Amino acid sequence: MEDTIVAVGTALGVGAISIIRVSGKDSIPIVNRIFKGYDLEKASSHTIHYGHIIDEDNVVDEVMVSIMKSPKSFTTEDTVEINCHGGIQTTNMILTLLIKKGCRLAQPGEYTKRAFLNGRIDLLEAESVMDIINAKTQKSLSLAMNQLSGKVSKKITNLRQSLIEILANIEVNIDYPEYEDIEEMTVTMIQNKIGNIKEKAISILKESTNGKIVRNGIKTALIGKPNVGKSSLLNSLLEENKAIVTDIEGTTRDIVEGTINLDGIPLNIIDTAGIRKTNNIVENLGVQKSLEMIESADLILFIVNNNEQLSLEEIEILNQILYNKKEYIIVINKTDLNAKLDTSIFEKSRVIHISALKDIGIKELKDKIKEIFNLENIETQDMTYLSNARSIGILENVVDGIKEIERGIQLNMPIDMIEIDIKNIWNLLGQITGETYEDELIDQLFSQFCLGK
């Protein structure tokens, strides 16, 4: 945190401009050494200056340099941004010069990490920065912007504040044990307030199911035996010929993926290898991947032929889908051919008839997906949801912990033991916003960010 870091903040390549960001206590004097123009050390904060980057007597590039002085910058440190002409050679020459003058090349996500460690943003807001960069739809962008604004963090902070009030009341009970009415009042108060906190946490979790869908999309696996039309359906949904379609069994031997926007939600579609017993080593690997996909997908589109009876293998696949309790749709393909399939074993509300070859029933299939995931009711105006697995997992642990506290109260556990459990819940909530954290977690989290952010 004491050194000065530098990185390219724009995608490296040919473009109109590149932005090189420098942050740290020596950022202004270091840039000033290679800048010919106004004396940057005399410049006011939040000003921009025209000049040239020079390497000794040689002009490297014509630039605009922005100055942002501590603490009014993203990292809260002195920050300089050099806007130079886009191009790999020019950008790398300036970057090399800055490193020679005393900067260190920033690690992935280090600017955002410094903003977090310096108290500029909390951990939820830091995670939302990467979500904004990766947003694929308007809804996912709205979700990330709400998280960056601090609206989601405020919900967690309010829960922690309620726990502090409970802990303060417990301390009074411990400090004045001679007053029995205080203990009775404390237990009653804990029951009421901890129950209220649990209900609020459960409500956030329910809403966060939508947040996870908005952020990550719906992982949708096309499952079925060979030649039922999985690849044709993928092409119909994507409206492009992405997957190879032939009459030869086993054509698809590896996963083929594509994404569509379904009411502002990414539908991540995965075409898998046809499931069948085979001696072909390569095809068999594809079949194993298909079986694994049943466990990891959010939605299974189980595709069967309208003109054939179910095979034993297909019945086994259906049983596995039902056993895993996955959301699923039975997609009966080739409805343009004579019907031979017995549909009585299927749940009617989960059946959609299509002809992938003739694009029949594709709209009805999309509507069924919207219905199952309630997409039309996901609000975009107030998306104050948790949206990543880390924070959702922690909040689930919080709810479980509160249930344990409630059981402890019913078993007349001592107040001081209940206090320890409440403090643990308070610390867990702090992990969501980063008010309590482990260094290893922070390092791992920010290492996933792009360089220069």
Side-chain angles (χ1 to χ4, degrees):
M1 293 287 287
E2 293 299 316
D3 49 1
T4 299
I5 57 175
V6 61
V8 180
T10 47
L12 195 59
V14 178
I17 61 168
S18 288
I19 299 175
I20 301 169
R21 179 181 293 161
V22 185
S23 182
K25 59 185 179 66
D26 296 324
S27 58
I28 296 175
I30 286 176
V31 176
N32 204 38
R33 288 176 206 155
I34 64 169
F35 180 70
K36 186 176 182 181
Y38 188 78
D39 186 349
L40 299 179
E41 296 196 60
K42 296 179 180 178
S44 301
S45 183
H46 291 76
T47 55
I48 188 166
H49 305 275
Y50 167 79
H52 295 82
I53 296 297
I54 56 170
D55 183 5
E56 296 182 353
D57 295 328
N58 299 317
V59 174
V60 176
D61 195 20
E62 183 180 30
V63 298
M64 299 292 288
V65 175
S66 301
I67 302 292
M68 289 157 280
K69 293 187 176 180
S70 174
K72 295 181 179 181
S73 71
F74 179 62
T75 60
T76 77
E77 304 168 332
D78 284 349
T79 301
V80 180
E81 289 187 351
I82 301 172
N83 290 256
C84 63
H85 288 96
I88 296 174
Q89 183 63 24
T90 302
T91 304
N92 281 338
M93 284 180 68
I94 297 174
L95 186 65
T96 301
L97 263 177
L98 289 166
I99 293 172
K100 283 172 61 178
K101 297 299 181 181
C103 290
R104 171 177 62 78
L105 187 64
Q107 298 171 353
E110 190 167 0
Y111 293 95
T112 311
K113 181 179 179 180
R114 289 190 175 201
F116 164 68
L117 293 175
N118 291 333
R120 170 71 171 75
I121 55 177
D122 66 28
L123 200 53
L124 279 176
E125 292 166 339
E127 289 173 318
S128 71
V129 171
M130 206 62 203
D131 289 345
I132 289 171
I133 295 171
N134 292 330
K136 296 178 181 177
T137 67
Q138 180 61 47
K139 284 186 177 179
S140 58
L141 178 60
S142 297
L143 176 67
M145 288 301 297
N146 265 338
Q147 205 158 280
L148 183 61
S149 71
K151 290 181 180 180
V152 185
S153 300
K154 188 175 180 180
K155 284 191 172 186
I156 303 303
T157 301
N158 288 342
L159 292 182
R160 295 190 90 218
Q161 181 58 40
S162 297
L163 289 170
I164 285 291
E165 293 170 7
I166 296 174
L167 291 169
N169 199 292
I170 291 174
E171 288 297 322
V172 172
N173 177 78
I174 293 173
D175 291 342
Y176 300 96
E178 63 272 19
Y179 296 105
E180 294 182 2
D181 58 334
I182 290 180
E183 181 175 355
E184 184 179 341
M185 180 185 68
T186 300
V187 172
T188 303
M189 180 272 299
I190 292 174
Q191 285 179 316
N192 293 335
K193 286 205 168 186
I194 207 75
N196 186 40
I197 292 170
K198 182 184 71 175
E199 292 307 313
K200 288 180 178 178
I202 290 173
S203 176
I204 294 172
L205 276 176
K206 287 181 179 177
E207 293 170 349
S208 296
T209 301
N210 289 340
K212 193 174 180 182
I213 289 172
V214 172
R215 180 180 185 262
N216 300 327
I218 302 169
K219 187 176 181 181
T220 306
L222 308 184
I223 300 293
K225 71 176 187 179
N227 273 10
V228 292
K230 297 185 299 300
S231 297
S232 295
L233 177 56
L234 174 70
N235 291 340
S236 292
L237 288 169
L238 297 179
E239 298 181 2
E240 62 173 291
N241 292 324
K242 185 159 189 174
I244 299 172
V245 178
T246 73
D247 293 329
I248 303 170
E249 291 188 351
T251 299
T252 302
R253 297 193 174 191
D254 202 354
I255 287 171
V256 181
E257 301 182 51
T259 301
I260 63 170
N261 185 329
L262 193 62
D263 273 10
I265 305 298
L267 190 67
N268 305 313
I269 311 165
I270 303 160
D271 178 20
T272 63
I275 298 175
R276 66 167 178 168
K277 292 179 181 179
T278 175
N279 294 322
N280 185 292
I281 295 174
V282 176
E283 187 182 351
N284 193 51
L285 288 173
V287 170
Q288 290 303 313
K289 284 186 180 181
S290 300
L291 293 172
E292 291 169 5
M293 197 60 62
I294 293 176
E295 297 183 10
S296 63
D298 302 311
L299 173 66
I300 306 294
L301 299 185
F302 180 41
I303 306 162
V304 295
N305 277 337
N306 177 58
N307 63 326
E308 295 177 359
Q309 288 291 349
L310 281 185
S311 66
L312 290 176
E313 288 174 336
E314 287 176 309
I315 293 172
E316 288 177 5
I317 296 170
L318 178 60
N319 288 336
Q320 187 174 345
I321 293 169
L322 296 175
Y323 176 78
N324 281 281
K325 297 181 179 179
K326 293 288 184 178
E327 294 290 0
Y328 72 95
I329 299 173
I330 305 294
V331 181
I332 300 177
N333 190 27
K334 303 180 183 179
T335 54
D336 50 315
L337 301 178
N338 292 330
K340 296 180 181 178
L341 180 66
D342 179 8
T343 62
S344 61
I345 68 168
F346 301 137
E347 183 183 334
K348 289 184 179 180
S349 64
R350 294 281 178 166
V351 174
I352 294 292
H353 293 80
I354 72 163
S355 171
L357 187 64
K358 298 187 176 181
D359 279 342
I360 297 171
I362 303 302
K363 180 182 182 301
E364 288 76 10
L365 176 58
K366 290 179 180 179
D367 289 343
K368 176 58 71 173
I369 296 171
K370 293 178 190 178
E371 176 191 323
I372 289 174
F373 289 92
N374 201 27
L375 299 189
E376 292 181 353
N377 293 324
I378 292 180
E379 298 295 332
T380 58
Q381 299 301 314
D382 186 29
M383 283 191 175
T384 49
Y385 312 143
L386 296 174
S387 61
N388 65 67
R390 182 194 71 86
S391 52
I392 291 173
I394 292 172
L395 195 57
E396 287 173 344
N397 290 336
V398 166
V399 172
D400 291 340
I402 292 175
K403 289 176 181 177
E404 287 297 319
I405 292 171
E406 290 178 325
R407 279 191 284 271
I409 293 172
Q410 292 171 0
L411 295 171
N412 296 316
M413 283 182 62
I415 290 293
D416 54 347
M417 296 296 293
I418 293 173
E419 181 186 24
I420 292 172
D421 291 338
I422 293 174
K423 283 182 178 177
N424 289 337
I425 298 299
W426 183 78
N427 281 322
L428 275 175
L429 287 169
Q431 290 177 22
I432 294 177
T433 55
E435 292 179 70
T436 57
Y437 63 87
E438 296 177 357
D439 290 339
E440 292 81 3
L441 168 67
I442 298 303
D443 291 341
Q444 193 275 334
L445 191 152
F446 286 105
S447 68
Q448 300 173 26
F449 280 50
C450 57
L451 193 66
K453 194 57 186 165

